[in-house]
Amino acid sequence: MSAASLHAGRFVLSLDRPLIMGILNVTPDSFSDGGRYQGVAAARARAEAMLAEGADMLDVGGESTRPNAPLVSVQEELDRVLPVLEALCELDVPISLDTRRTEVMRAGLALGVDVINDVAALEDDGAIAAVAASSAAVCLMHKQGTPQSMQRAPQYRDVVAEVIDYLGARVHAALAGGIARERLLVDPGFGFGKTVEHNYALLARLGECARLAPVLAGLSRKSMLGAVTGQSEPAARVAASVAAAVLACQHGAAVVRVHDVAATRDALAVWHAMRDAQRAC
Ligand code: HH2
């Protein structure tokens, strides 16, 4: 049931080909790029580099959601993201804000962000209404527990069925709250309260999530890749991340959220060429 386009604030984005979302964490402690792009000048330079490499949109986050990340106050999150968003919203490219807090969403939407990327699927009080009052797209992500607790002992009867049930309920809540279907993305939340086996089951059956709404897949540099390659350093997981992005697209992802834009773009170019040849047969 994937829509052919995503309505995201100032943009209508074609989903005929998977889109690349470049990750820009303006945090001191993100698991892969923490501390590297804090401050407007460094963030803008990184944003421009990712756009030059072929990113279709940029995702700005001011709170690390890695396992055991410390809680950040709303004010601290606002102080981190707002100056950067102000600078990036001048660029002619869709800007996404990665936040689970209504107050931060409202402030970002007032600056003109085009996408709200919410790892809590608009569960914060007032979040649905805040997004509904805008024209932004929203990504509804599944997680089990909180970043502080989620990797302790993730448990499911049937991980794929439970993730799909949850995302279906959140899609329903968003629609009922006045957010149009063409503004919705869903995401199974790789690494958010899941074992390595849960994550690969979700990747193998990603196409089932895509029946709810276009899927965003965030696998980049995550520990599920380290678990099968033996690469303990996130920066050493680029090849695995690219493989995972291609597999996600093969299984129906409409957007891939990545740190390594140029490598992902080249890999997807090969995938597109093969798919175009298949269609021509
Ligand atoms: N993963 C992270 C953060 N936001 N959003 C969506 N929709 N899907 C994801 O898989 C996802 C996400 C975690 O990765 P990262 O931003 O690189 O690290 P950190 O949370 O440490 O800032």
Side-chain angles (χ1 to χ4, degrees):
M1 225 216 303
S2 286
S5 60
L6 179 70
H7 291 233
R10 298 166 289 165
F11 302 88
V12 177
L13 304 169
S14 168
L15 298 179
D16 286 349
R17 294 186 163 214
L19 301 175
I20 297 177
M21 172 186 261
I23 300 172
L24 182 52
N25 286 315
V26 290
T27 56
D29 58 343
S30 287
F31 82 94
S32 180
D33 56 353
R36 295 186 59 190
Y37 309 117
Q38 280 178 288
V40 175
R44 186 162 177 145
R46 177 65 184 153
E48 286 173 355
M50 287 195 287
L51 294 173
E53 290 179 11
D56 299 294
M57 63 175 99
L58 302 172
D59 187 39
V60 178
E63 181 200 30
S64 173
T65 46
R66 73 185 154 77
N68 300 315
L71 279 174
V72 172
S73 71
V74 170
Q75 192 55 51
E76 176 68 31
E77 192 180 344
L78 288 167
D79 291 345
R80 289 177 184 176
V81 297
L82 292 187
V84 172
L85 291 174
E86 210 163 355
L88 298 191
C89 284
E90 288 173 2
L91 303 173
D92 188 25
V93 60
I95 302 297
S96 165
L97 171 57
D98 186 347
T99 185
R100 53 199 173 124
R101 284 147 159 175
T102 303
E103 215 174 316
V104 181
M105 289 176 200
R106 281 208 195 94
L109 290 166
L111 287 179
V113 304
D114 303 289
V115 180
I116 295 294
N117 173 24
D118 185 1
V119 301
L122 300 183
E123 288 207 48
D124 198 11
D125 282 349
I128 290 181
V131 175
S134 76
S135 59
V138 61
C139 179
L140 304 167
M141 199 197 81
H142 174 274
K143 63 175 170 47
Q144 188 179 83
T146 63
Q148 290 67 42
S149 68
M150 65 191 183
Q151 286 308 111
R152 268 180 218 149
Q155 276 179 3
Y156 299 87
R157 272 177 298 100
D158 175 341
V159 65
V160 177
E162 286 174 54
V163 167
I164 288 176
D165 279 357
Y166 173 81
L167 291 177
R170 296 315 295 161
V171 165
H172 185 75
L175 292 172
I179 304 174
R181 186 173 283 284
E182 57 270 20
R183 294 168 58 197
L184 298 180
L185 294 166
V186 293
D187 180 344
F190 293 103
F192 284 82
K194 281 121 191 158
T195 63
V196 173
E197 291 72 24
H198 293 145
N199 285 315
Y200 282 99
L202 286 163
L203 179 57
R205 292 172 60 191
L206 202 58
E208 295 175 43
C209 294
R211 292 185 200 136
L212 295 170
V215 168
L216 184 154
L219 296 137
S220 188
R221 299 190 177 190
K222 287 191 174 170
S223 60
M224 63 182 281
L225 307 176
V228 298
T229 58
Q231 299 289 1
S232 55
E233 285 304 313
R237 298 176 186 155
V238 179
S241 301
V242 170
V246 172
L247 289 169
C249 292
Q250 183 70 23
H251 286 78
V255 182
V256 284
R257 181 180 180 275
V258 305
H259 299 88
D260 304 291
V261 173
T264 308
R265 179 208 56 203
D266 283 359
L268 288 182
V270 176
W271 182 75
H272 292 319
M274 184 206 68
R275 207 183 49 158
D276 291 348
Q278 267 175 337
R279 285 178 176 170
C281 288

